């Protein structure tokens, strides 16, 4: 089928700052605000497609930041795309191969192209990606708390809201006892732990103690770019290892699986460079019998909508970290907001990401906007 060229007249980068309802603490520190970009691509017919840059303002999770994303989009990604217009969003990631790494910058642009394409085709993004699910199971990720009591209270509150899978952040000194206590109080809870690279292989015997608490998995215990040591650790642990930070591309996923570095993959669209790459990893994981789930980056509504769309694919078997909007924000950027009932989010049926942008709310959290015209049109 010959398809039309996607003619993008301009791209608006909306820089926003949104305050989290409650600060989120990981093994690296505490996040109070999300300072990020919404990428709005506008075509010749005046249609808008939206992507969200999921990078944080500091490079603690991976190397990208809000500022590096802006730099890459403005100076490299858009000039390349404007010069080489595509017919289908799958071609965007092929073009972007000419630029090394920077997956979050790439994903934010590619996401806008996907949304626009889906809207043009009048199809929900999830369906276009090949997703069959109508509902997405979601859990909640709980940051490091000041005390065990605070952690139990927090979990209780989320269970009351209907969430049925809980992930807790752990780090040295805030791990075994906390998990043990949670297990005592919630013996049946689907529970997992995320270390964000807080340990080394020397902690193997310490981490082995977690095997007593039937965790669904332990996420990224070791180095953010490691495979070999995770493989070694996995041999010693009964608890399945899930990789997050280590998987930044299809090639990384291939390596991790080949080396038995993990039994589960947390897939984040931004971390792997976009929806096309995410779908490739999905297909690989399914063919290798590696279950997936969709992680989160404390996204606002647009990023969340993209995550929900990819989660509709069959290989996403565990509940994701893509909780409802109200777990993060007093008011989100989309209408309606994402709502989870009994830990389930219903996928929208409207074209594209399926949520409308709340322009009024966008203005309230706007820091500035930069418009980049396509001089090649
Ligand atoms: O490691 O999965 C992670 C939040 C920020 C950065 C990294 C991570 C997380 C989370 C929360 O665990 C995910 C979310 O609720 O969006
Ligand atoms: Mg993680």
């Amino acid at each position: 089928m010959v398809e039309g060229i996607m003619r993008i007249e301009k791209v608006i980068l909306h820089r926003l700052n949104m305050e989290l309802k409650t600060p989120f603490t990981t093994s690296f520190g505490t996040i109070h605000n999300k300072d990020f970009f919404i990428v709005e691509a506008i075509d010749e017919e005046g249609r808008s497609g939206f992507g969200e840059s999921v990078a944080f303002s500091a490079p603690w999770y991976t190397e990208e930041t809000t500022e590096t994303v802006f730099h890459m989009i403005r100076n490299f990604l858009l000039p390349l795309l404007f010069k080489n217009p595509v017919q289908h969003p799958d071609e965007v990631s092929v073009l972007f191969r000419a630029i090394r790494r920077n997956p979050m910058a790439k994903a934010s642009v590619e996401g806008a192209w996907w949304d626009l394409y889906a809207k043009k085709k009048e199809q929900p993004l999830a369906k276009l990606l090949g997703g069959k699910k109508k509902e997405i199971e979601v859990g909640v990720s709980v940051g490091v708390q000041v005390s065990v009591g605070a952690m139990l209270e927090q979990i209780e509150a989320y269970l009351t809201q209907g969430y049925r899978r809980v992930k807790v952040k752990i780090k040295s000194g805030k791990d075994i006892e906390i998990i043990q206590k949670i297990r005592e109080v919630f013996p049946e809870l689907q529970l997992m732990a995320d270390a964000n690279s807080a340990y080394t292989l020397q902690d193997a015997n310490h981490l082995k103690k977690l095997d007593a608490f039937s965790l669904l998995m332990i996420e990224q215990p070791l180095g953010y770019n490691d495979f070999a040591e995770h493989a070694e650790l996995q041999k010693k642990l009964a608890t399945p290892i899930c990789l997050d930070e280590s998987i930044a591309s299809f090639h990384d996923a291939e390596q991790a699986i080949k080396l038995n570095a993990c039994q589960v993959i947390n897939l984040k669209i931004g971390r792997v460079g976009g929806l096309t790459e995410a779908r490739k990893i999905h297909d690989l994981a399914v063919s290798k019998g590696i279950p997936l789930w969709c992680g989160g980056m404390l996204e606002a509504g647009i990023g969340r909508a993209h995550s929900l769309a990819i989660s509709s694919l069959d290989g996403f078997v565990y509940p994701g970290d893509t909780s409802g909007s109200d777990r993060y924000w007093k008011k989100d950027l989309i209408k309606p907001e994402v709502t989870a009932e009994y830990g389930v989010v219903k996928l929208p049926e409207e074209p594209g990401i399926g949520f409308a942008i709340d322009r009024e709310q966008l203005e309230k959290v706007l820091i500035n906007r930069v418009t980049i015209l396509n001089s090649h049109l």
Side-chain angles (χ1 to χ4, degrees):
M1 183 175 74
V2 180
E3 304 193 62
I5 298 254
M6 294 179 72
R7 292 186 198 282
I8 311 297
E9 213 159 65
K10 61 184 171 189
V11 167
I12 305 174
L13 300 178
H14 306 267
R15 184 154 188 175
L16 311 178
N17 194 319
M18 286 170 67
E19 190 185 5
L20 284 165
K21 251 187 183 175
T22 47
F24 188 81
T25 302
T26 71
S27 56
F28 275 86
T30 302
I31 304 167
H32 296 266
N33 290 72
K34 188 94 198 238
D35 163 24
F36 68 107
F37 289 100
I38 293 301
V39 179
E40 178 176 6
I42 304 171
D43 72 7
E44 280 189 328
E45 285 147 56
R47 226 184 260 113
S48 286
F50 296 92
E52 178 171 327
S53 161
V54 301
F56 297 106
S57 31
W60 64 270
Y61 169 75
T62 61
E63 67 281 6
E64 291 179 274
T65 69
T66 315
E67 290 287 332
T68 70
V69 164
F70 179 77
H71 167 67
M72 292 309 298
I73 296 177
R74 177 78 189 84
N75 297 316
F76 297 99
L77 301 175
L78 289 180
L80 191 63
L81 253 178
F82 286 163
K83 202 164 167 210
N84 304 280
V86 299
Q87 297 191 332
H88 188 279
D90 274 337
E91 296 163 47
V92 175
S93 60
V94 177
L95 265 182
F96 285 175
R97 274 184 211 153
I99 292 161
R100 297 285 181 262
R101 296 199 171 96
N102 293 284
M104 291 176 190
K106 291 173 179 173
S108 65
V109 173
E110 192 232 35
W113 258 245
W114 266 107
D115 180 34
L116 192 55
Y117 181 81
K119 283 170 175 162
K120 208 169 164 165
K121 295 278 162 191
E122 297 180 347
Q123 298 236 19
L125 180 57
K127 195 170 164 217
L128 212 57
L129 291 167
K132 299 199 186 72
K133 294 182 212 165
K134 300 274 178 249
E135 301 181 334
I136 308 300
E137 273 193 90
V138 298
V140 63
S141 171
V142 184
V144 175
Q145 302 292 315
V146 289
S147 66
V148 180
M151 177 59 91
L152 293 172
E153 245 172 60
Q154 194 56 255
I155 293 175
E156 180 73 49
Y158 287 127
L159 295 182
T160 305
Q161 288 169 35
Y163 290 106
R164 288 172 292 179
R165 189 232 65 181
V166 171
K167 170 172 122 182
V168 296
K169 294 290 191 182
I170 56 168
K171 61 177 191 177
S172 305
K174 286 205 174 225
D175 46 21
I176 315 294
E177 306 89 296
I178 291 175
I179 298 291
Q180 182 175 17
K181 194 75 197 175
I182 297 172
R183 251 300 163 251
E184 265 170 49
V185 180
F186 306 103
E188 304 293 332
L189 177 64
Q190 291 189 68
L191 178 66
M192 50 205 262
D194 185 359
N196 290 109
S197 295
Y199 302 93
T200 70
L201 199 51
Q202 297 188 336
D203 299 310
N205 288 334
H206 178 70
L207 292 171
K208 178 103 188 104
K209 295 181 195 151
L210 289 173
D211 280 350
F213 308 112
S214 44
L215 298 181
L216 283 177
M217 65 194 81
I218 177 168
E219 189 176 333
Q220 197 73 35
L222 308 180
Y224 70 90
N225 55 3
D226 169 78
F227 299 115
E229 294 192 342
H230 279 103
E232 226 175 294
L233 180 65
Q234 183 65 88
K235 281 193 210 142
K236 298 182 178 164
L237 298 187
T239 307
I241 290 179
C242 168
L243 287 179
D244 174 358
E245 284 89 327
S246 290
I247 312 289
S249 65
F250 176 82
H251 182 67
D252 285 342
E254 252 185 334
Q255 290 204 65
I257 295 170
K258 257 188 208 161
L259 296 169
N260 296 312
C262 64
Q263 295 184 31
V264 185
I265 292 177
N266 163 342
L267 196 46
K268 295 182 187 175
I269 301 163
R271 203 195 58 229
V272 302
L275 284 164
T276 299
E277 190 84 354
R279 191 169 55 179
K280 274 175 64 189
I281 295 174
H282 166 271
D283 295 349
L284 171 76
V286 169
S287 77
K288 302 286 184 186
I290 298 286
L292 300 171
W293 56 279
C294 185
M297 291 289 285
L298 311 174
E299 286 94 343
I302 291 162
R304 193 164 304 283
H306 281 272
S307 292
L308 290 168
I310 193 82
S311 302
S312 68
L313 303 185
D314 289 339
F316 290 82
V317 297
Y318 291 106
D321 273 350
T322 47
S323 329
S325 300
D326 69 348
R327 180 252 176 278
Y328 309 87
W329 318 110
K330 284 205 188 92
K331 196 161 177 14
D332 204 342
L333 291 176
I334 50 169
K335 283 193 282 198
E337 298 200 346
V338 173
T339 50
E341 277 179 62
Y342 299 103
V344 172
V345 175
K346 282 202 176 66
L347 277 178
E349 283 164 11
E350 287 72 32
I353 57 172
F355 294 86
I357 306 311
D358 185 340
R359 296 278 183 184
E360 214 175 292
Q361 185 57 23
L362 184 92
E363 292 308 315
K364 285 190 185 147
V365 294
L366 184 77
I367 302 299
N368 60 46
R369 58 168 61 93
V370 173
T371 300
I372 302 154
L373 299 174
N374 183 357
S375 58
H376 293 275
L377 271 189

